[in-house]
Amino acid sequence: DAGVIQSPRHEVTEMGQEVTLRCKPISGHDYLFWYRQTMMRGLELLIYFNNNVPIDDSGMPEDRFSAKMPNASFSTLKIQPSEPRDSAVYFCASSLFNFGTGELFFGEGSRLTVL
Amino acid sequence: GESVGLHLPTLSVQEGDNSIINCAYSNSASDYFIWYKQESGKGPQFIIDIRSNMDKRQGQRVTVLLNKTVKHLSLQIAATQPGDSAVYFCAENRNSGYSTLTFGKGTMLLVSP
């Protein structure tokens, strides 16, 4: 398996623009996570899905952020409108088991810069 | 140790040395702990985990020690190699679901040949 695949790897955009980040989880994994990583705050959970259903979105910063998982092999994280403080690395991760193993498989991340 | 600002604590070692990376966790109710490794430009990668009913667990070249009394976790890497250079994160959870999984801010390990 190729692992968790994220795109784009890098995105530079201007304030106010819409940003869409994409994720393909590992086939067969039924948990999918979106994390944001910054130097100040470290890794923060934004939202996670189980069997394509959002379970906890309490980490989503505000209404400008939305995430969808239309099927088991694809998820998007959208920011509209984007702001400079959204600049971060966004990671998608997937997992097979109910929590207990801690083994989340992370993608390589999407580095977002909002000017 | 854990970062308290913008700069990650850094541990510099020579190739072949043993490395010890420390982590102070925050929640006394946490009962599950994980170490992740993050290489530059990549996502975090699971290394080893330990449950609160254990105080030591060994993997290949790595050992995790847990001291619940002082809420301290450490990762020992034997015979450190240049490929071990990365940022290492500890994470804690209360076994109540993924929402409560909390990552520390990490320690950078630099291994010199």
Side-chain angles (χ1 to χ4, degrees):
Chain A
D1 201 308
V4 175
I5 299 173
Q6 292 187 245
S7 65
R9 289 295 314 278
H10 302 275
E11 174 91 6
V12 180
T13 191
E14 293 188 343
M15 183 173 64
Q17 296 298 306
E18 178 179 293
V19 173
T20 300
L21 308 178
R22 298 172 176 80
C23 176
K24 181 181 188 304
I26 293 172
S27 177
H29 284 193
D30 49 14
Y31 287 86
L32 183 140
F33 307 82
W34 283 101
Y35 280 87
R36 177 171 68 176
Q37 185 176 43
T38 61
M39 281 299 295
M40 282 296 293
R41 300 171 70 92
L43 267 167
E44 301 174 282
L45 177 64
L46 300 178
I47 184 171
Y48 79 93
F49 296 81
N50 178 215
N51 293 323
N52 313 338
V53 175
I55 303 301
D56 185 351
D57 66 355
S58 60
M60 295 285 262
E62 48 199 271
D63 292 345
R64 297 185 297 106
F65 285 68
S66 62
K68 295 182 179 179
M69 192 166 185
N71 57 62
S73 59
F74 184 66
S75 177
T76 60
L77 177 68
K78 187 173 292 187
I79 308 172
Q80 166 64 21
S82 58
E83 297 182 3
R85 61 190 168 126
D86 302 329
S87 297
V89 182
Y90 291 82
F91 287 102
C92 177
S94 69
S95 178
L96 177 59
F97 303 107
N98 280 325
F99 189 78
T101 68
E103 192 153 10
L104 305 183
F105 293 83
F106 285 82
E108 297 201 325
S110 294
R111 181 176 292 276
L112 173 64
T113 302
V114 183
L115 303 175
Chain B
E2 291 296 322
S3 168
V4 293
L6 291 175
H7 302 288
L8 290 176
T10 299
L11 175 64
S12 297
V13 301
Q14 294 286 326
E15 182 177 2
D17 287 351
N18 296 331
S19 302
I20 300 176
I21 301 170
N22 297 304
C23 175
Y25 64 91
S26 58
N27 193 330
S28 57
S30 293
D31 54 13
Y32 180 62
F33 307 88
I34 315 108
W35 280 99
Y36 279 84
K37 171 186 180 184
Q38 186 175 20
E39 297 176 59
S40 179
K42 296 189 176 181
Q45 180 182 16
F46 175 93
I47 301 173
I48 192 169
D49 59 2
I50 188 169
R51 297 199 174 277
S52 59
N53 61 351
M54 303 171 69
D55 53 22
K56 180 179 180 179
R57 189 165 187 219
Q58 289 185 288
Q60 188 175 15
R61 280 203 308 119
V62 295
T63 301
V64 56
L65 299 178
L66 175 62
N67 185 330
K68 295 181 288 294
T69 302
V70 294
K71 294 192 290 185
H72 184 267
L73 195 65
S74 68
L75 177 71
Q76 300 178 357
I77 305 174
T80 315
Q81 303 166 0
D84 295 327
S85 294
V87 176
Y88 289 81
F89 297 93
C90 64
E92 59 183 294
N93 203 4
R94 296 194 298 278
N95 203 26
S96 58
Y98 288 107
S99 302
T100 50
L101 177 62
T102 304
F103 287 83
K105 290 191 173 59
T107 296
M108 181 173 292
L109 176 65
L110 297 175
V111 184
S112 305

